[in-house]
Every structure is written in C-alpha cells, then in structure tokens.
Amino acid sequence: MQMGRVIGSVWATRKEEGLNGLKLLIIQPIDSNQQPIRTEIVAADRIGAGIGDDVLITSGGSSRYIMKDNPLPIDAVVIGIIDSTDVMRGEDNE
C-alpha cells in the first residue's frame, strides 16, 4: 500500500466492460511528509474519494481483484480515504 492525494479525474466514455461504473482518479503518490514522491498514476475508485482527499492505494496484482469473481484490467485501486496520520520522528528530524 502507499499514500497518495487525489489531484484529478479521468473520463472515458469507452472502456473495458468490467470498468463500467468505476470512477477513475489521478493520484499523486506522497510520502509521510505529504510530499510528492513520483509521477502521478490513475487508480480505480469504488469508495467515493474526491479531489483533495488523501487516500491509500494498492497496485499490482492485488488491485485486479476488487471484484471477487471478476478480475479487472487495472493497475491501481483506492482502498481507503485517510482521516489522519501520526508519524514519530527522531530528535534529529523534528
């Protein structure tokens, strides 16, 4: 899993049939300091995240199985909306 921030949406009127009904979001992966860590990705969303939300995403093989009996052709999926984070830092990092 990794953290990211929703920065946009993707609209596709024609797509793979299994993707119908899924919202596609543009996610900026972030680190624990909420700083961008790499280029944006597109992730499927079924939980209702929106622009500006910090989210948990998973990618790779596990993301294909958001529908139990029907693997989907997706690389990343939003699996949670982050309410807050709490990161302990050493004295050198404060």
Side-chain angles (χ1 to χ4, degrees):
M1 286 186 289
Q2 63 185 45
M3 296 185 299
R5 181 167 294 127
V6 180
I7 61 170
S9 299
V10 175
W11 288 270
T13 55
R14 296 186 59 143
K15 56 191 170 200
E16 175 66 33
E17 185 176 312
L19 298 177
N20 289 332
L22 287 176
K23 185 166 53 169
L24 301 176
L25 299 173
I26 302 170
I27 309 291
Q28 172 64 67
I30 57 176
D31 64 16
S32 61
N33 293 317
Q34 299 189 355
Q35 298 301 306
I37 56 173
R38 63 172 216 242
T39 59
E40 303 86 1
I41 60 173
V42 175
D45 172 55
R46 290 187 2 176
I47 61 173
I51 293 177
D53 284 340
D54 288 342
V55 295
L56 288 174
I57 56 174
T58 190
S59 59
S62 60
S63 62
R64 297 186 64 208
Y65 293 96
I66 61 171
M67 305 284 230
K68 272 187 173 179
D69 301 327
N70 185 23
L72 299 174
I74 57 177
D75 292 327
V77 64
V78 175
I79 58 171
I81 298 173
I82 298 171
D83 295 316
S84 66
T85 58
D86 186 16
V87 180
M88 297 231 3
R89 306 220 184 264
E91 290 179 11
D92 295 338
N93 294 331
E94 291 184 25

